[in-house]
Amino acid sequence: MNPLTKVKLINELNEREVQLGVADEVSWHSQYKDSAWIFLGGLPFELTEGDIISVFSQYGEIVHINLVRDKKTGKSKGFCFLCYEDQRSTILAVDNFNGIKIKGRTIRVDHVSDYRAPKDSETQRL
């Protein structure tokens, strides 16, 4: 599925839940209640971990970040996995950051259910 289509679908789902007054316990977010990880896609390639933390820390304390980079060049591949200290922050981040533009690029923000941080040095524990 096209990443921008996924952005649109997530935003529509959130809007429908608000209109229907869906309780937190039955929201689509509840299936991710055991994971404090989110996926960020479509990021501008020049963003650093510090830039991403500056933006996404608005909704909670970030404890891990894995900005995926090309192994040969070290350049960002434009996507990232981020872990909040509190899982409730993931809902705020997905609801408020999905579909925003950063440096002219529409980013996708979504929950991740079974992410395991790599054991190598590319993941930063904060």
Side-chain angles (χ1 to χ4, degrees), residues 2-111:
N2 180 318
L4 292 178
T5 302
K6 182 75 171 175
V7 166
K8 182 180 174 189
L9 291 174
I10 289 171
N11 288 341
E12 287 174 355
L13 184 56
N14 286 335
E15 207 172 295
R16 267 189 257 129
E17 282 192 352
V18 169
Q19 289 172 349
L20 295 172
V22 173
D24 291 343
E25 301 80 37
V26 293
S27 169
W28 74 277
H29 293 290
S30 67
Q31 66 184 306
Y32 301 101
K33 69 182 181 326
D34 296 326
S35 175
W37 286 92
I38 59 173
F39 168 82
L40 314 173
L43 296 169
F45 299 109
E46 61 270 18
L47 290 185
T48 66
E49 288 87 350
D51 297 330
I52 296 165
I53 289 168
S54 293
V55 173
F56 284 84
S57 64
Q58 293 179 56
Y59 291 112
E61 186 165 340
I62 297 167
V63 294
H64 281 91
I65 185 167
N66 179 15
L67 179 58
V68 179
R69 297 180 178 275
D70 182 272
K71 291 194 186 305
K72 290 182 182 175
T73 66
K75 292 183 179 180
S76 168
K77 288 188 173 185
F79 67 98
C80 172
F81 295 92
L82 186 140
C83 184
Y84 283 103
E85 182 177 54
D86 186 337
Q87 185 278 333
R88 293 174 294 182
S89 297
T90 66
I91 296 169
L92 293 170
V94 170
D95 286 351
N96 292 290
F97 287 129
N98 186 54
I100 68 164
K101 287 191 182 251
I102 297 179
K103 297 191 81 168
R105 293 187 59 139
T106 302
I107 64 165
R108 177 179 155 218
V109 181
D110 202 354
H111 293 282

